[in-house]
Amino acid sequence: MDDKLTIGGREISSRLFIGTGKFPANSIIPDVIKMSGAQVVTTALRRIDFDSDEENMLKYIPKDCILMPNTSGARNAEEAVRIARIARASGCGNFIKIEVISDNRYLLPDNMETIRATEMLVREGFTVLPYINPDLMDARRLKDAGAAAVMPLGAPIGTNKGLRTREMVKILIHEIDIPVIVDAGIGKPSEACEAMEIGAAAVLVNTAIATAGDPVVMAEAFANAVMAGRKAFLSGTGPVKEYAEASSPLTGFLA
Amino acid sequence: MIITLNGKQTEIGEKTALMDLIQSKGLEPESIVIEYNRKVLRKEEWDSVVLKENDKLEVLRFVGGG
């Protein structure tokens, strides 16, 4: 079955994107990436702390991955643009996940600032994937601004609460003709599968894998769930009925 | 002389070359990104930068993130 996902002119081999935060040790990240099959991998950009011995995250990410730095820490469009420009200077490509957050309790994205940042960065040639609250009008504005995809949240970042925004995400999937990628909140493989079943183009998972009992095994579980959900979507699910309908013939009984 | 390095006032020698500062901090150039006086520096430009009083330098790297 020909089922390619193309973003920013890049053909993407896996519909599971993964984040690299919160792992118990960075040294397991190569195995997590391998078992997840993920090609798109997110990172953050931070000031170096000269007083501590930090590790360089890039050494744990295989070179054939597409690096998607996020703009976390940005509180408005200008800060997001600044972070994006710095990230691109690393020479790791032009994918950028826009994340503009000024709400510290729920870490909900500021759609308006995100749209402004998207407009600016698209003009500079970035492949922009904005993290948003699932609002149809804002998603349309982002598409018009040239976003390569929209990434609505399933639930607040890091909560593992699942696809709480299901109805709104479904509307985006039906109405927006750029990829809709569910980012944030997905806690279990079944929830990633559900997002894929309703037609999400991909899911981005971090906390659910990083904080699992065995992140490497969980990465594989997510990979399988995403593939299962995608195939179910491509197939189309069977109709839901109010009353029972026997699966076995109702004639030719023994008695 | 004093420069602002990652938001902190930092004393360094007069006319310190950027590359010397990077090396003195034990940083691998391929693992870092630099913003110099609010302008992103391409790696090719690093060699030519000599720091001056009141310069603002941001030295960043990729860390885990979602």
Side-chain angles (χ1 to χ4, degrees), chain A residues 4-6 20 30 33 35 40 42 48 50 56 68-69 100 104 108 115 133 144 146 163 170 190 206 218 224 254:
Chain A
K4 300 268 163 51
L5 174 62
T6 304
T20 53
I33 293 174
M35 295 315 288
V40 178
T42 66
I48 287 177
F50 297 107
N56 170 24
M68 181 163 71
V100 182
N104 290 331
L108 292 173
I115 293 165
N133 244 309
D144 293 344
L163 192 57
K170 215 168 160 180
S190 55
N206 185 350
M218 188 56 90
N224 292 338
L254 192 60

Side-chain angles (χ1 to χ4, degrees), chain B residues 42-55:
Chain B
R42 286 178 289 118
K43 288 209 163 75
E44 308 87 86
E45 297 173 300
W46 293 6
D47 268 332
S48 60
V49 174
V50 177
L51 300 166
K52 352 179 262 303
E53 184 86 36
N54 297 326
D55 273 349

Side-chain angles (χ1 to χ4, degrees), chain A residues 20 44 46-48 70 82, chain B residues 6 35 58-59 61 63 65-66:
Chain A
T20 53
R46 289 290 179 274
R47 280 175 166 168
I48 287 177
N70 66 37
R82 183 181 177 199
Chain B
N6 285 2
E35 193 194 59
E58 295 284 351
V59 184
R61 72 163 36 135
V63 299

Side-chain angles (χ1 to χ4, degrees), chain A residues 121-175:
Chain A
L121 290 170
V122 167
R123 278 200 293 272
E124 295 185 20
F126 283 87
T127 295
V128 180
L129 293 92
Y131 167 62
I132 59 163
N133 244 309
D135 178 274
L136 177 60
M137 305 314 147
D138 287 343
R140 283 191 175 135
R141 290 181 184 107
L142 287 162
K143 193 214 152 203
D144 293 344
V150 287
M151 303 205 293
L153 59 98
I157 293 172
T159 58
N160 284 345
K161 284 186 170 179
L163 192 57
R164 299 297 180 98
T165 56
R166 181 192 162 99
E167 289 309 309
M168 296 301 128
V169 168
K170 215 168 160 180
I171 290 170
L172 296 196
I173 290 167
H174 287 161
E175 299 297 322

Side-chain angles (χ1 to χ4, degrees), chain A residues 52-143:
Chain A
S52 86
D53 226 3
E54 295 165 326
E55 288 182 300
N56 170 24
M57 176 55 66
L58 294 186
K59 76 177 186 194
Y60 297 107
I61 302 174
K63 293 280 174 281
D64 56 353
C65 285
I66 296 173
L67 198 69
M68 181 163 71
N70 66 37
T71 65
S72 62
R75 299 171 70 86
N76 56 47
E78 284 72 23
E79 288 175 8
V81 169
R82 183 181 177 199
I83 295 167
R85 287 174 180 158
I86 296 171
R88 186 160 68 174
S90 70
C92 294
N94 64 350
F95 273 55
I96 191 82
K97 167 179 163 177
I98 306 273
E99 189 178 326
V100 182
I101 293 173
S102 52
D103 159 56
N104 290 331
R105 183 184 294 263
Y106 296 104
L107 300 177
L108 292 173
D110 182 331
N111 281 5
M112 207 155 97
E113 292 295 309
T114 301
I115 293 165
R116 286 182 53 226
T118 300
E119 287 167 346
M120 292 189 256
L121 290 170
V122 167
R123 278 200 293 272
E124 295 185 20
F126 283 87
T127 295
V128 180
L129 293 92
Y131 167 62
I132 59 163
N133 244 309
D135 178 274
L136 177 60
M137 305 314 147
D138 287 343
R140 283 191 175 135
R141 290 181 184 107
L142 287 162
K143 193 214 152 203

Side-chain angles (χ1 to χ4, degrees), chain A residues 50, chain B residues 1-6 8-25 27 36-37 49-59:
Chain A
F50 297 107
Chain B
M1 65 177 189
I2 303 281
I3 64 163
T4 307
L5 177 59
N6 285 2
K8 281 187 194 152
Q9 301 275 296
T10 306
E11 172 95 49
I12 61 166
E14 294 290 324
K15 295 186 181 166
T16 301
L18 174 62
M19 284 305 273
D20 290 341
L21 180 70
I22 293 168
Q23 274 158 15
S24 74
K25 297 282 182 191
L27 301 172
Y36 177 55
N37 293 334
V49 174
V50 177
L51 300 166
K52 352 179 262 303
E53 184 86 36
N54 297 326
D55 273 349
K56 288 187 172 53
L57 197 63
E58 295 284 351
V59 184

